[in-house]
Amino acid sequence: MTTLSIFDAHNPEATPTVTREAGEISRLLQARGVRFERWPTRELPADAAPEQILETYSAEIAKLKAESGFQTADVVSLNPDNPQKETFRKKFLDEHTHSEDEVRFFVRGQGIFYLHLGDQVFAVQCRKNDLISVPQGTRHWFDMGPEPEFTCIRLFTNPEGWVADFTGEEIAARLPRFEELEGAAV
């Protein structure tokens, strides 16, 4: 179940406000300029190739490209048996921004986007069926957990793909990681 935990950025140890209701999550994020939607997924083989995934969701990808000017789409997938999982996890754990919207549609699995919005941090535990679009310039980070298991479609306006500008702030280290929030969400 998708979970939104809202933390006080100045007092991250305080108990967060938590909701698991998709409509409320969408409303709260939309009020802050973040797109969040639940989309139906289609059955695909566990070993589906990226080309097959992109073809299966070609209509949705075309719609997003037309709406927002995205130029490219790709698939990122990670499993617990990946020998570089720790390196991949660390790459996204520090607060950063992008010069374009960061769009992810979760075809399977889960991960947490932390959005640093003013005096609050919105931790969105995305799961299969979730589409999130983090607006350009938004301070955020992503935690896939120590045993990552997800497949996402990503869309970009920059053909180079994922390019981050790290803020140098250490707020990400002060908030609960995936392991702590995952346990709380069950």
Side-chain angles (χ1 to χ4, degrees):
M1 177 179 292
T2 305
T3 304
L4 171 63
S5 302
I6 304 173
F7 293 88
D8 180 336
H10 302 292
N11 185 15
E13 299 80 24
T15 302
T17 301
V18 177
T19 184
R20 292 178 180 85
E21 201 280 305
E24 180 70 359
I25 293 170
S26 181
R27 185 188 69 74
L28 289 166
L29 291 174
Q30 185 176 8
R32 303 304 291 265
V34 178
R35 180 178 183 171
F36 175 84
E37 299 171 2
R38 301 275 300 155
W39 284 13
T41 51
R42 297 179 186 87
E43 290 303 316
L44 288 164
D47 62 348
E51 298 78 21
Q52 183 180 8
I53 294 169
L54 292 172
E55 177 61 30
T56 300
Y57 291 96
S58 62
E60 291 87 346
I61 293 168
K63 180 181 175 204
L64 286 170
K65 284 181 173 181
E67 287 176 6
S68 302
F70 296 113
Q71 300 297 309
T72 63
D74 71 7
V75 174
V76 62
S77 188
L78 208 59
N79 292 309
D81 61 353
N82 187 304
Q84 295 182 306
K85 64 185 177 187
E86 287 182 44
T87 302
F88 287 129
R89 184 182 189 196
K90 285 181 184 179
K91 179 179 179 178
F92 305 109
L93 276 179
D94 291 326
E95 185 182 72
H96 59 275
T97 63
H98 300 287
S99 62
E100 64 179 325
D101 293 356
E102 182 167 352
V103 179
R104 302 291 179 269
F105 173 59
F106 283 78
V107 174
R108 73 171 180 93
Q110 63 182 332
I112 301 175
F113 275 94
Y114 294 80
L115 313 172
H116 187 178
L117 304 169
D119 292 334
Q120 296 176 309
V121 175
F122 288 59
V124 187
Q125 187 167 7
C126 294
R127 296 181 185 266
K128 179 180 175 179
N129 300 92
D130 290 343
L131 171 87
I132 189 166
S133 180
V134 180
Q136 74 177 38
T138 300
R139 293 172 174 252
H140 70 283
W141 61 97
F142 178 72
D143 190 353
M144 61 185 73
E147 299 296 322
E149 190 163 358
F150 66 90
T151 299
C152 289
I153 296 173
R154 309 184 301 176
L155 289 105
F156 301 99
T157 53
N158 180 349
E160 294 177 33
W162 193 86
V163 178
D165 181 21
F166 291 92
T167 66
E169 302 234 0
E170 296 188 14
I171 189 166
R174 296 193 318 264
L175 276 107
R177 294 268 190 236
F178 180 96
E179 304 86 317
E180 297 165 88
L181 290 182
E182 166 62 11
V186 175

